[in-house]
Each structure stands twice: as structure tokens, then as C-alpha cells.
């Protein structure tokens, strides 16, 4: 995918050059051409067949999301241990299909002003730069998918995401309970047996289910029913009892409560301080992620032997998330453009981003998340705000939100990614 990342960047530069030549010829002068390009949305390379290209771009994006979902949900299950072609043949085909679809939508099926192209292109350059250092393919995948979601109603893409991901998971579950894929694979935590359901780890399965639940909740943004709240609660109970994936389970239950609040508040005006409060929540959670580990005082040989006492109890409640970040502070260097490391020593997305992608990306992610929460809250989009807030809670305990398969809410960041006004941001309905 390094070649794809470079190609997309060069293609964006080439599109800007073609824009400039065409605009200059049409205006007859450079400054009027630049002023027009800066503020007028237009397709790249050519304005021909605009309606057809926009419709095709929306369809291609749905195909890309579906291919991406199947490549992760099926090809990264334990089916890869049964059949070599799953990772050797099918996975590369699906990944290339997804990235080529996203690239085609970005280059040929999306309108941009130069203001949007400059901001989005600069952020993509940073994302590509850190991808080269981190070598995390899921990172470049989520960046490109967010770019490709520009100006699209999200209902059809989310539906494609949910159907393809759900179908792929159903296949894995059938194979698992049929005794074909990892039939006896379980995990143990403090004497508790945890089901993996055909995946390598209970939290992997929990994260995939949580991502599908978020997609379902977003699809109900127009009208939340009590049945939707009950469904989210049922998923949370199952995740707590079956795989015992505690973070995914608790966040699913919290989502059920959040959807109930959205149902009760439907049609009522947004409180005046609500947008600022939502943005402040992201900043406060990031601050806790980075600062709490600094208070750790090591008093023993194990991760939970720390002081002060209240922090040790909190760390135990969070299954050593604080002390793991404390350990990462001592074992890993912070590099400006990130780094590759094996198994992450941090299961906190804020700290994980700091080490894997670097402080620049960590800061940009926080700004984008805060801006998205502020804009969505100001627009009265309660369900989208609820899903983002719950995702932030999940991100405190896991680093899976950098996988699009666990984090469909990333598509909501598209408008902020291109510095659009909130009323221009993609909507579900």
C-alpha cells in the first residue's frame, strides 16, 4: 500500500495542476482563476459527465466499504489458520479493491474547492507520512475512507458496511460453531473462560460487534425507537456474558442509555452550552489519558503495585490501562512522525496515537474530534454525537478505534477533515 499512498498524493498534486491550467485558460488571468478555484466546488481533472461521476462515486464508495469490511471481519478471523488462501489470496484482493474504490471516489467522484483541497491534502500528507513510519495499514485505510466520504449521504454506505460486516461475521460464527474454525479456542481471565467465537481474542470479537452496533445506531439517527435501545442493551449483555469483552460490553450498554436519552429529547432544542461541553469532553479525556500515568509511583515488581492507593484501585478497575501507559512512557520514545512497534504496550487510543503516529497526529485527531462533536451538537444531531461520545469512552480502554471496522463513526469526521461548515457535513439521512 506504500505505492498507493504515494500515487494518491501525486494524483492530488496533478489534479491541482490541471485545475490551475484549465481555470487560467477560462478566466484569462491568474488571480481571478485562483479566486474561482478557491471557492467553487468542482470535479478534479475534468467537469465532464458530472452527474454520472457523482452517482458512480457514491456507488464505488459503498463497494469499497463492503470489500474493506469483509477483508477485516472474515480474512482476519481464525479462518486464516485453516486456509492459506484467506490471507494469501482473498485478503490482498479485497484490500486492493477497497483502496482502489476509495481512490477512485476521491479523485474522480468528488467535488472540491481549493480551500477544501488544501486542508484535506495537507492532512492526508501528514497521515501518509505517519503511515510510512508506523506501517499500520488500518491507519491509512481509515484516513482514505474518511476522505472518500466527502459530501455523501451516509445512509447507503453505512448500510453496505453493516450488511457486509454482519454477513462476514455470520459466516465466521457458522464455521466456528460447526467445529471448523477455532472450535475450541477460548481465553481465560482470572478463572473466567471467555469465548473467542472464531476470532483470535475475545476483545477482537467484541470490537467488531461494537463497530457493527455503532453503524446500526447511526442508521437510526433519523428516528430512534425503544427497540433500538433494547437491541443495544442486549448486545451489551451478550458481550459481557459471552466473550466477556468488558469495554465493548459497557460501551454498548452506555450506547443503549444514550439512545434512550436521544429518544426522550427528540424535537427539543439543544442546550446552549451543549456543543462546547461535548468538545470539552474530548479534551478532558485526552488530558486524563496523558496525565494520570504521570501520577504513578512504582512500589513493586508488578503493574498493579503502584501508588497512591486511589490510583492503584482505579488502575485495577481499568485493567492496568494507566500503568501500561506509564510503562510505555518509560519504554518507548515519542517520535514526531510515529514509529512501528510490535504488540502495543498501551490499550488507550490517545496514548497509542502519541507513540504510533506521533504528537502531531495525536493533536490533530483531538482537534478533529472536538470540532466534529461541537459541529454535530450545534446542528442538533444527537445520535451522531452520542455515538462519538461512546466511541471516545471505548477509545480510553482500547486502541481498536483506528480500525474503520470498529469505528464507523470516523466517517462523521469528514466535514471537519476538509474544514467545511457544519451544515455541509455528510448526514446519515
Amino acid at each position: 500500500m506504500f505505492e498507493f499512498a504515494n500515487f494518491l498524493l501525486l494524483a492530488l498534486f496533478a489534479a491541482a495542476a490541471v485545475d490551475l491550467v484549465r481555470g487560467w485558460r477560462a478566466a484569462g488571468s491568474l488571480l481571478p482563476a485562483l479566486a474561482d478555484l478557491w471557492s467553487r466546488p468542482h470535479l478534479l481533472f475534468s467537469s465532464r459527465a458530472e452527474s454520472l461521476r457523482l452517482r458512480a462515486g457514491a456507488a464505488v464508495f459503498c463497494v469499497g466499504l463492503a470489500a474493506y469490511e469483509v477483508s477485516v471481519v472474515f480474512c482476519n478471523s481464525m479462518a486464516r489458520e485453516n486456509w492459506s488462501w484467506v490471507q494469501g489470496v482473498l485478503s490482498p484482493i479485497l484490500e486492493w479493491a477497497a483502496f482502489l474504490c476509495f481512490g477512485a471516489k476521491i479523485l474522480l467522484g468528488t467535488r472540491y474547492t481549493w480551500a477544501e483541497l488544501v486542508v484535506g491534502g495537507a492532512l492526508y500528507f501528514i497521515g501518509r507520512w505517519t503511515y510510512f513510519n508506523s506501517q499500520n495499514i488500518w491507519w491509512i485505510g481509515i484516513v482514505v475512507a474518511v476522505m472518500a466520504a466527502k459530501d455523501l449521504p451516509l445512509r447507503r454506505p453505512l448500510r453496505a458496511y453493516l450488511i457486509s460486516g454482519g454477513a462476514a461475521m455470520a459466516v465466521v460464527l457458522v464455521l466456528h460453531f460447526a467445529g471448523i474454525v477455532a472450535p475450541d479456542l477460548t481465553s481465560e481471565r482470572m478463572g473466567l473462560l471467555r469465548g473467542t467465537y472464531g476470532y483470535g481474542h475475545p476483545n477482537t470479537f467484541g470490537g467488531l460487534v461494537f463497530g457493527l452496533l455503532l453503524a446500526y445506531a447511526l442508521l437510526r439517527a433519523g428516528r430512534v425507537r425503544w427497540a433500538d435501545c433494547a437491541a443495544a442493551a442486549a448486545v451489551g449483555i451478550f458481550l459481557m456474558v459471552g466473550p466477556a469483552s468488558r469495554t465493548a460490553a459497557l460501551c454498548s450498554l452506555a450506547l443503549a442509555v444514550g439512545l434512550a436519552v436521544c429518544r426522550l429529547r427528540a424535537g427539543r432544542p439543544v442546550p446552549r452550552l451543549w456543543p462546547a461541553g461535548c468538545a470539552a469532553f474530548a479534551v478532558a479525556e485526552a488530558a486524563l489519558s496523558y496525565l494520570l500515568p504521570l501520577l504513578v509511583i512504582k512500589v513493586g515488581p508488578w503493574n498493579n503495585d503502584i501508588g497512591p492507593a486511589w490510583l492503584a484501585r482505579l488502575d485495577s478497575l481499568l485493567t492496568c490501562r494507566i500503568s501500561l501507559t506509564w510503562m510505555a512512557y518509560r519504554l518507548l520514545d515519542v517520535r514526531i512522525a510515529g514509529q512501528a512497534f510490535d504488540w502495543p504496550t498501551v490499550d488507550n487510543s490517545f496514548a497509542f496515537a502519541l507513540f504510533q503516529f506521533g504528537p502531531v497526529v495525536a493533536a490533530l485527531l483531538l482537534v478533529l474530534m472536538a470540532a466534529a462533536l461541537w459541529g454535530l451538537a450545534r446542528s442538533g444531531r444527537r445520535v451522531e454525537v452520542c455515538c462519538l461520545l461512546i466511541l471516545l469512552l471505548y477509545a480510553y480502554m482500547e486502541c481498536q478505534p483506528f480500525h474503520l471496522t470498529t469505528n464507523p463513526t470516523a466517517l462523521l469526521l469528514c466535514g471537519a477533515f476538509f474544514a467545511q461548515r457544519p451544515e455541509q457535513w455528510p448526514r446519515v439521512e
Side-chain angles (χ1 to χ4, degrees):
M1 292 299 167
F2 293 125
E3 293 83 359
F4 170 84
N6 281 333
F7 167 78
L8 182 57
L9 181 65
L10 293 174
L12 290 172
F13 275 115
V18 172
D19 271 356
L20 183 60
V21 172
R22 292 177 60 247
W24 198 339
R25 286 179 177 176
S29 179
L30 178 60
L31 291 180
L34 289 174
D36 179 63
L37 291 170
W38 188 260
S39 58
R40 178 177 58 85
H42 58 279
L43 290 169
L44 300 179
F45 295 109
S46 171
S47 58
R48 295 178 181 176
E50 179 173 314
S51 178
L52 176 62
R53 286 170 62 180
L54 292 175
R55 291 197 305 272
V60 162
F61 181 64
C62 292
V63 172
L65 273 182
Y68 185 97
E69 273 291 279
V70 176
S71 74
V72 177
V73 178
F74 178 74
C75 296
N76 283 280
S77 71
M78 295 307 288
R80 66 182 185 268
E81 301 295 329
N82 288 55
W83 305 292
S84 60
W85 55 264
V86 171
Q87 281 288 322
V89 179
L90 183 59
S91 181
I93 290 174
L94 291 172
E95 287 171 5
W96 270 109
F99 277 86
L100 289 175
C101 286
F102 294 155
K105 167 62 172 65
I106 292 167
L107 295 173
L108 302 175
T110 307
R111 292 183 296 184
Y112 305 89
T113 66
W114 263 30
E116 295 166 349
L117 198 59
V118 167
V119 175
L123 291 179
Y124 171 70
F125 175 82
I126 296 171
R128 166 196 161 277
W129 179 34
T130 54
Y131 164 58
F132 273 57
N133 289 322
S134 69
Q135 301 181 29
N136 186 330
I137 189 174
W138 311 119
W139 166 246
I140 194 67
I142 201 169
V143 170
V144 174
V146 168
M147 293 177 67
K150 185 179 186 298
D151 296 337
L152 283 182
L154 294 178
R155 178 164 295 278
R156 284 181 61 197
L158 285 171
R159 190 175 293 159
Y161 176 103
L162 183 61
I163 292 172
S164 58
M169 179 173 287
V171 170
V172 174
L173 290 174
V174 168
L175 292 172
H176 172 69
F177 287 109
I180 299 172
V181 171
D184 302 316
L185 181 62
T186 57
S187 178
E188 186 270 340
R189 181 178 63 196
M190 295 186 296
L192 175 67
L193 273 182
R194 309 167 67 195
T196 62
Y197 297 91
Y199 293 89
H201 194 279
N203 286 346
T204 300
F205 176 72
L208 294 176
V209 173
F210 180 62
L212 293 175
L213 179 63
L214 283 175
Y216 173 79
L218 289 172
L219 284 169
R220 299 302 309 163
R223 184 183 177 186
V224 177
R225 304 165 299 183
W226 290 116
D228 303 322
C229 307
V235 169
I237 293 170
F238 162 70
L239 290 176
M240 185 67 78
V241 174
S245 181
R246 188 169 63 174
T247 304
L250 292 175
C251 288
S252 297
L253 293 172
L255 180 62
V257 174
L259 291 177
V261 173
C262 292
R263 176 75 173 80
L264 293 171
R265 297 289 301 176
R268 299 187 182 183
V270 175
R272 186 169 60 88
L273 296 179
W274 177 240
C278 290
F281 180 84
V283 177
E285 190 173 0
L288 286 175
S289 299
Y290 294 127
L291 297 179
L292 276 180
L294 299 178
L295 303 178
V296 169
I297 302 172
K298 188 72 171 176
V299 295
W302 306 107
N303 288 338
N304 59 342
D305 293 338
I306 63 173
W310 67 269
L311 190 59
R313 288 193 294 270
L314 180 60
D315 186 52
S316 178
L317 179 66
L318 299 176
T319 56
C320 297
R321 265 32 177 200
I322 297 173
S323 54
L324 286 173
T325 302
W326 173 87
M327 186 183 300
Y329 282 168
R330 282 149 181 81
L331 296 179
L332 298 173
D333 296 325
V334 176
R335 299 179 182 175
I336 188 67
Q339 62 192 304
F341 49 84
D342 296 327
W343 183 252
T345 56
V346 283
D347 269 332
N348 175 297
S349 291
F350 299 95
F352 181 83
L354 178 66
F355 291 109
Q356 174 119 90
F357 309 122
V360 174
V361 164
L364 287 173
L365 284 172
L366 180 58
V367 169
L368 286 174
M369 184 63 75
L373 282 167
W374 175 83
L376 292 170
R378 197 186 70 165
S379 302
R381 294 162 64 176
R382 287 187 171 88
V383 173
E384 290 97 322
V385 170
C386 172
C387 289
L388 278 176
L389 290 175
I390 299 302
L391 188 278
L392 279 174
L393 293 177
Y394 183 81
Y396 188 87
M397 294 282 288
E398 302 287 346
C399 58
Q400 292 191 61
F402 298 110
H403 294 218
L404 184 64
T405 316
T406 304
N407 181 15
T409 63
L411 301 179
L412 299 174
L413 303 183
C414 178
F417 188 92
F418 286 99
Q420 293 178 306
R421 296 187 301 275
E423 55 269 21
Q424 297 177 286
W425 292 359
R427 304 180 71 91
V428 176
E429 62 273 11

